Amino acid sequence: MRKKRIVIALGHEALGTTLPEQKIATGKTAKAVADLIESDYQVVISHSNGPQVGMIHTAMSEFCRLYPEYTKTPMSVCSAMSQGYIGYDLQNAIRTELLNRGIYKTVSTILTQVCVDPYDEAFYHPSKIIGRVMTKEEALEEEKKGNHVVETSQGYRRIVAAPKPMNIVEIDAIRTLSDADQVVIACGGGGIPVLTQNNNLKGASAVIEKDLAAGKLAQMLNADMFVILTGEEKVCLNYKKPDQKALNVLTVSEAGAYIEEGQFEEGTILPKIQAAVEFIGDSAVKTAIITKLDKSKEALEGTTGTVIRK
């Protein structure tokens, strides 16, 4: 009998922020992932990279400021660096946890490129904040280079586009490893955004929403289930209000209505709901689950979390 294939989208809580935090966090995450592998699921993992890619971008920008003879590092390269950095800690932590349980299974990180549409509306309206806080003078210099800058409460920050994922370049490699029952880490941080130019792939100055990329990964792998792990045990209506209500089940049509009402905050829970809905599509058998990392096993057993279905 074929194992059920699940794609897991790990949030910030599963990774931490600093280098020491990430080591500790990935150790805890590995235990939750190993629980699911022990339950005989075929696991593919995607993850966030917000603090990490910001740290890398800031470090590389500061390096080029101190040493002007070096070329600035594009966002696509920073994204690639973050995939390797996070994947390194994550795959080793999962490998160690599995071996400690007597499970011998290869864990691999795939450096993943995700194609975006050059005419995506997001390129005309950049919205994702990245990098360090700048002075007004530094912000003006960034704008002279053709970059977009926005003023925040802390100071000036660079912003980039957040286009939708269209295709995953390395999907065949990911599928082959998954079919071999190996653990695969892919599409980290939404993937490396690239534009297709004939036979060439060119890095785009953008950041892809990680949950949408994870949902696209689940779609293209024809996964049975899409599991989104976040900071809350269940999706809530009227979040953090006196009449807050946790949802056990959410249908695709109900999700659409709640989105219209503005129930889900942009940049947090909204892309998770959108990714889940797009993954399910018209399928009557596919489901998505949103819950906390430490509740993932219970959620797959049906005792907690929010189940999203047709």
Side-chain angles (χ1 to χ4, degrees), residues 106-240:
T106 302
V107 186
S108 304
T109 298
I110 300 291
L111 203 63
T112 316
Q113 301 174 96
V114 176
C115 297
V116 297
D117 183 350
Y119 300 106
D120 191 303
E121 190 66 23
F123 284 110
Y124 303 99
H125 304 283
S127 60
K128 281 282 185 180
I129 295 175
I130 61 163
R132 67 182 177 88
V133 175
M134 298 179 287
T135 64
K136 188 172 183 179
E137 291 72 24
E138 289 173 325
L140 289 171
E141 285 300 314
E142 281 295 316
E143 288 180 332
K144 286 179 183 177
K145 297 171 189 173
N147 296 323
H148 297 275
V149 175
V150 65
E151 186 175 5
T152 69
S153 56
Q154 291 83 30
Y156 293 88
R157 303 279 298 277
R158 186 181 166 194
I159 54 172
V160 295
K164 291 180 180 179
M166 303 299 292
N167 189 37
I168 297 170
V169 178
E170 289 78 18
I171 192 65
D172 289 340
I174 297 166
R175 186 182 294 112
T176 299
L177 292 174
S178 184
D179 286 345
D181 202 25
Q182 297 185 19
V183 182
V184 189
I185 302 164
C187 287
I192 304 162
V194 293
L195 303 170
T196 304
Q197 297 180 343
N198 297 319
N199 289 332
N200 298 319
L201 295 172
K202 182 181 179 182
S205 182
V207 174
I208 301 170
E209 171 54 58
K210 64 178 179 60
D211 293 309
L212 296 181
K216 175 65 74 174
L217 177 63
Q219 277 182 302
M220 295 185 74
L221 287 176
N222 195 27
D224 298 285
M225 193 179 299
F226 179 34
V227 182
I228 304 172
L229 301 179
T230 184
E232 300 291 341
E233 189 169 342
K234 297 182 180 183
V235 174
C236 295
L237 299 179
N238 306 315
Y239 183 58
K240 289 188 176 178

